Amino acid sequence: MQNWKNKAEIKQEYLNRIDNNISTQDFFGDWCNYKGYSDVGYYLGREFIKYLQQQYSLIDIANLNINQLYQHFKAFALLP
């Protein structure tokens, strides 16, 4: 996957879908695509984990609850 020029856009779109209970399926899998690219969700997930690793170990990340992950993703989505 190429490094997205519009990373901020995909973060905002993903957050919008989560907030509005809209499917994120087209972000995942080779058979789906977001704006013509497959696996965008995996790229976004990798970038999110890299963001979290600035503050947490992988063990700590694995132990974050869903509300903590959501709050961290909202902060992550605001970054350029």
Side-chain angles (χ1 to χ4, degrees):
M1 160 80 45
Q2 68 175 332
N3 190 4
W4 271 71
K5 293 180 200 172
N6 298 320
K7 186 167 38 171
E9 175 190 327
I10 64 170
K11 290 188 294 185
Q12 286 299 312
E13 176 62 22
Y14 196 87
L15 180 61
N16 178 58
R17 290 181 186 206
I18 295 297
D19 285 344
N20 292 294
N21 200 28
I22 299 170
S23 174
T24 58
Q25 179 61 51
D26 54 336
F27 281 78
F28 298 97
D30 293 334
W31 59 92
C32 298
N33 74 75
Y34 174 75
K35 295 199 174 187
Y37 294 94
S38 63
D39 297 330
V40 173
Y42 301 112
Y43 166 76
L44 187 59
R46 184 190 73 189
E47 294 300 306
F48 182 47
I49 293 299
K50 286 170 36 180
Y51 166 79
L52 290 173
Q53 283 182 306
Q54 294 172 16
Q55 186 175 357
Y56 298 105
S57 71
L58 283 176
I59 301 259
D60 291 335
I61 292 168
N63 286 305
L64 292 171
N65 68 44
I66 192 71
N67 292 324
Q68 291 169 312
L69 287 169
Y70 174 73
Q71 293 304 317
H72 282 296
F73 190 81
K74 282 189 358 182
F76 168 69
L78 293 174
L79 298 174

